[in-house]
Amino acid sequence: MTTVQNKLHWLAKVTVTRKATVVDPQGNTVLDALRHLRFDSAEHVRIGKYIEVSVSAADEAEARSEVAKMCETLLVNPVIEQYAFDLQQID
Amino acid sequence: MTTVQNKLHWLAKVTVTRKATVVDPQGNTVLDALRHLRFDSAEHVRIGKYIEVSVSAADEAEARSEVAKMCETLLVNPVIEQYAFDLQQID
């Protein structure tokens, strides 16, 4: 007798940001642009990436592990970047 | 008698994503790369921007309004993108 394993579907919302000690020229440029547009309230800008990945996995632990591996293998440069993600079931 | 208005400091975490109807070639490329790396669980990828903006404002409503104006003026292309943000006080 075989067991069919039902895979569930999960959505990971990943934010990738530069580590605090790494300069962010793109963020500084956007801050300058905001100041030129008279947004005097703007104090600081940091730019990162936002990635939504949907994965199939049997449970939350497996989904979380898969997404972490994807981040560490491809999506994030661990030398200068850090990441965090929220995971939700979408079925 | 003059009143000194104390400005508070706020951090907005803004995510900018393409609208659902707009194709996302960068996301498709990343999905292909994940599949090549044997991440068979990956089903769908969308890439967006993540922007942290700190602003000074007297209260939350003012901060929220400033950040929304920044998004609509500079940070977001409303033709193809949508945005959302969380706001927290950082003082």
Side-chain angles (χ1 to χ4, degrees):
Chain A
M1 188 174 133
T2 58
T3 311
V4 177
Q5 192 182 25
N6 287 320
K7 290 276 188 180
L8 303 171
H9 299 276
W10 308 82
L11 177 65
K13 298 181 174 186
V14 185
T15 54
V16 182
T17 50
R18 289 179 171 229
K19 291 178 182 173
T21 51
V22 178
V23 290
D24 178 10
Q26 196 184 356
N28 294 340
T29 302
V30 168
L31 180 60
D32 286 347
L34 287 171
R35 293 268 170 79
H36 275 286
L37 291 167
R38 307 276 175 182
F39 285 111
D40 300 325
S41 63
E43 296 187 318
H44 203 70
V45 177
R46 303 274 296 176
I47 308 265
K49 284 179 287 185
Y50 173 73
I51 306 168
E52 287 183 352
V53 187
S54 55
V55 298
S56 60
D59 57 35
E60 180 173 340
E62 186 187 318
R64 198 167 281 283
S65 159
E66 277 290 285
V67 173
K69 269 189 261 172
M70 290 176 194
C71 287
E72 283 153 29
T73 312
L74 181 71
L75 305 176
V76 178
N77 175 353
V79 178
I80 58 166
E81 292 174 331
Q82 61 199 356
Y83 70 94
F85 62 88
D86 285 332
L87 192 70
Q88 65 190 78
Q89 196 178 334
I90 49 174
D91 273 1
Chain B
M1 189 173 133
T2 58
T3 311
V4 176
Q5 192 182 25
N6 287 321
K7 290 276 188 180
L8 303 171
H9 299 276
W10 308 82
L11 178 64
K13 298 181 173 184
V14 184
T15 55
V16 182
T17 50
R18 288 179 174 231
K19 292 178 182 173
T21 51
V22 178
V23 291
D24 178 10
Q26 196 184 356
N28 294 340
T29 302
V30 169
L31 180 60
D32 286 347
L34 287 170
R35 294 267 172 77
H36 275 286
L37 291 166
R38 307 275 176 184
F39 286 111
D40 299 325
S41 63
E43 297 188 316
H44 202 70
V45 177
R46 303 275 295 177
I47 307 265
K49 286 179 286 185
Y50 173 73
I51 306 168
E52 287 183 351
V53 187
S54 55
V55 298
S56 60
D59 57 36
E60 182 174 338
E62 186 187 318
R64 199 166 281 282
S65 159
E66 277 290 286
V67 173
K69 269 189 261 173
M70 290 176 194
C71 287
E72 284 154 28
T73 312
L74 182 70
L75 304 177
V76 179
N77 176 352
V79 178
I80 57 166
E81 293 173 330
Q82 59 199 357
Y83 70 93
F85 62 88
D86 285 332
L87 192 69
Q88 65 190 79
Q89 197 179 331
I90 49 175
D91 271 3

